[in-house]
Amino acid sequence: MAIADESVSAGHWTEKQYQSALTDTLPRRVLLVFTDQNTIRGFVVAAEIAREWELENIAVRNSGRRQGTADQLMEALLKELQSSRAECLHLEVRESNTPARTLYEKW
């Protein structure tokens, strides 16, 4: 939760929502964590509904910003979804969230 708290553009979930993402079997989820020198730098969470996926949350620690962490998370997520035969990935992003829009437009 500390990483999401640092990230103004991340979805600010409650502790219960994070626990649910880690423990619930439905919907199926992928949660990837980016580490560097044994420190968590960021994470991404996506959920599946009928072979369509939704990017639920992505957050990068302030110290990992502008270093390609979010790009690496997106690349890893897309590879994971490809291997599970995902048909598409949906996301919602505020128009005012320029850093997120810039990231997503790359993919």
Side-chain angles (χ1 to χ4, degrees):
M1 287 182 58
I3 294 171
D5 289 342
E6 284 185 27
S7 177
V8 293
S9 61
H12 292 283
W13 291 1
T14 65
E15 186 173 340
K16 183 177 180 180
Q17 287 172 302
Y18 281 109
Q19 288 175 343
S20 176
L22 292 170
T23 60
D24 290 356
T25 57
L26 292 175
R28 180 176 163 216
R29 283 192 169 92
V30 170
L31 179 123
L32 302 174
V33 176
F34 181 87
T35 60
D36 181 31
Q37 299 177 342
N38 298 323
T39 300
I40 296 174
R41 298 285 183 211
F43 66 87
V44 62
V45 182
E48 178 191 34
I49 299 175
R51 293 179 64 173
E52 293 188 4
W53 288 80
E54 178 184 4
L55 178 64
E56 293 187 307
N57 208 346
I58 184 167
V60 174
R61 215 179 260 291
N62 285 338
S63 61
R65 294 213 174 166
R66 312 296 300 165
Q67 297 178 19
T69 302
D71 286 319
Q72 290 179 39
L73 284 165
M74 285 298 298
E75 182 177 6
L77 174 65
L78 292 173
K79 283 181 182 178
E80 181 69 26
L81 298 185
Q82 260 184 335
S83 71
S84 70
R85 300 180 139 344
E87 293 180 0
C88 62
L89 175 64
H90 299 278
L91 61 95
E92 290 182 24
V93 61
R94 291 183 306 277
E95 192 169 332
S96 62
N97 189 344
T98 303
R101 293 178 66 82
T102 302
L103 170 68
Y104 303 142
E105 287 169 0
K106 292 178 190 177
W107 302 97

